[in-house]
Amino acid sequence: MELNVKLQVFEGPLDLLLHLLEKNKVNIYDIPIVEITSQYMEYIEEMKRQDLNVMSEFLVMAATLIDIKSKMLLPKDPKQEEEEEDPRAELVQQLLEYKMYKCMAFELKDRQIDAEKIMYKAPTIPKEVMAYEEPVDLQELMSDVTLARLNEIYKSIMKKQADKIDPVRSKFGKIEKEEVSLEDKMVYLEEYAMNHEHFSFRNLLEAQAGKIEIIVTFLAILELMKTGKIIISQEYIFDDIKIKSKIAA
C-alpha cells in the first residue's frame, strides 16, 4: 500500500534552507554545505510531483548549493597569497536578510493579532457641551483699548504690508501679450508682395514691432513659399535673403 506523506510547505528556497539550518542547529555563518545540500536534495525528491512553477525556484537553489559544494571541495592553491572569498558568503547574506524580514513579519502579525483584541468607543459628547460657548465680557476685553493703542496697531499692520512690497519688482510694468494671428500676417504679406516685386527678408523682419510678430511673419513667409506666391534666394551664406514676388502687379 502506498504511503502518502504530507510535506511541510515552505514559502521559498530560502525558507527551506533556514528551516534546515535551525533543524540541524548549525551556525548560519558556517554552513556545513555538504550535509545541508544532501538534506535539501532529499526534500526536492519529495517535491517531484508538485507544481513545476513552484519547483523551479527550489531547483535554482539546488543548483546554487551544488555549485558552492563543488567550489568548496576543490583544493586550495597554496601559491595564492590573497585569501579566497568564501563561496558561501553571498548565500549567508541572503539568508540573514530573509531571516530579518521573516522576524519582522512575525512581529507585525503579532501586533495585528493584539490590535484585533482592542475595541474603541466612538466619541459621545453631549449636545449641551458641544453647543457651549464661553461668555465674553466686552467691557473687560476692551478696557485697555484706547485711540492711541488702535493707532499703534494700525501703523504696525500698514508697516508689515509695506515690508512685503518688493522695491524693485513693484516698479515693473505689466507685460501685455501680443496678439498676432498667422492669417492676418499672411494677408498683410500678400498685399505687400503685390506692391513689391523684390524685397529684403531682413528689412521685412526689422519692420516688425516685437518678437512674436517676427516669428509669425517668418511662418507666414513659409506658408507663402509653400503656395508658390513668393520665391526666396540667397547668393552667399549669411547674406541677406532676397524675396521675389510672383503676384506683384
Side-chain angles (χ1 to χ4, degrees):
M1 186 175 90
E2 183 180 359
L3 178 63
N4 295 324
V5 180
K6 185 176 180 181
L7 299 177
Q8 183 176 348
V9 178
F10 297 99
E11 296 181 0
L14 288 175
D15 195 30
L16 172 57
L17 273 178
L18 195 61
H19 167 74
L20 293 176
L21 293 176
E22 293 174 351
K23 178 182 176 182
N24 290 276
K25 298 180 180 179
V26 297
N27 186 355
I28 196 171
Y29 292 99
D30 188 19
I31 301 174
I33 201 69
V34 176
E35 181 181 353
I36 293 299
T37 302
S38 300
Q39 294 182 19
Y40 188 91
M41 295 305 298
E42 289 176 6
Y43 185 87
I44 292 294
E45 289 296 326
E46 297 293 338
M47 290 180 62
K48 280 185 177 179
R49 297 182 181 181
Q50 300 294 327
D51 186 3
L52 185 59
N53 293 328
V54 177
M55 278 289 294
S56 61
E57 297 181 7
F58 289 88
L59 290 174
V60 171
M61 179 58 71
T64 303
L65 290 172
I66 294 172
D67 180 61
I68 296 173
K69 178 180 176 181
S70 62
K71 289 180 180 178
M72 295 189 68
L73 292 176
L74 290 174
K76 296 183 180 180
D77 186 1
K79 296 181 180 179
Q80 191 171 0
E81 296 181 359
E82 295 183 1
E83 186 179 352
E84 295 183 1
E85 184 180 357
D86 191 338
R88 302 169 296 179
E90 185 176 352
L91 180 60
V92 169
Q93 183 63 31
Q94 293 179 7
L95 284 169
L96 289 173
E97 291 180 359
Y98 178 77
K99 186 174 182 180
M100 178 184 67
Y101 290 127
K102 190 172 183 179
C103 291
M104 292 171 62
F106 285 144
E107 178 66 22
L108 292 175
K109 183 66 176 178
D110 291 340
R111 293 191 180 189
Q112 180 183 0
I113 294 174
D114 293 339
E116 291 174 353
K117 301 176 183 179
I118 300 174
M119 298 183 64
Y120 296 92
K121 177 181 176 297
T124 52
I125 303 176
K127 295 181 180 180
E128 295 79 5
V129 176
M130 294 183 64
Y132 174 77
E133 293 183 3
E134 187 177 355
V136 178
D137 188 346
L138 295 179
Q139 291 184 354
E140 182 180 354
L141 183 65
M142 303 292 291
S143 60
D144 59 342
V145 177
T146 60
L147 290 176
R149 177 59 179 161
L150 290 175
N151 187 38
E152 291 177 3
I153 296 173
Y154 172 76
K155 288 181 178 180
S156 175
I157 294 173
M158 296 304 296
K159 186 178 183 303
K160 289 181 180 179
Q161 293 297 324
D163 292 340
K164 293 180 181 179
I165 300 175
D166 192 319
V168 178
R169 295 184 181 182
S170 61
K171 297 179 181 178
F172 290 169
K174 184 178 180 182
I175 300 176
E176 298 292 341
K177 184 179 179 181
E178 299 179 32
E179 299 292 343
V180 183
S181 69
L182 180 60
E183 292 77 10
D184 293 342
K185 186 58 67 175
M186 288 182 64
V187 172
Y188 163 77
L189 287 178
E190 287 184 12
E191 293 178 354
Y192 189 86
M194 288 180 183
N195 300 319
H196 301 80
E197 185 176 358
H198 296 87
F199 53 95
S200 166
F201 176 73
R202 180 178 297 168
N203 293 340
L204 182 65
L205 294 185
E206 289 177 351
Q208 306 308 311
K211 185 183 294 184
I212 299 298
E213 194 168 353
I214 290 175
I215 296 172
V216 177
T217 302
F218 177 73
L219 295 176
I221 291 175
L222 295 178
E223 290 294 329
L224 292 180
M225 286 176 56
K226 189 187 298 183
T227 57
K229 294 181 179 179
I230 60 173
I231 300 174
I232 67 169
S233 61
Q234 186 182 40
E235 188 172 355
Y236 300 106
I237 299 177
F238 304 120
D239 276 0
D240 188 14
I241 298 175
K242 304 297 182 182
I243 302 177
K244 180 181 179 181
S245 171
K246 298 185 69 176
I247 57 175

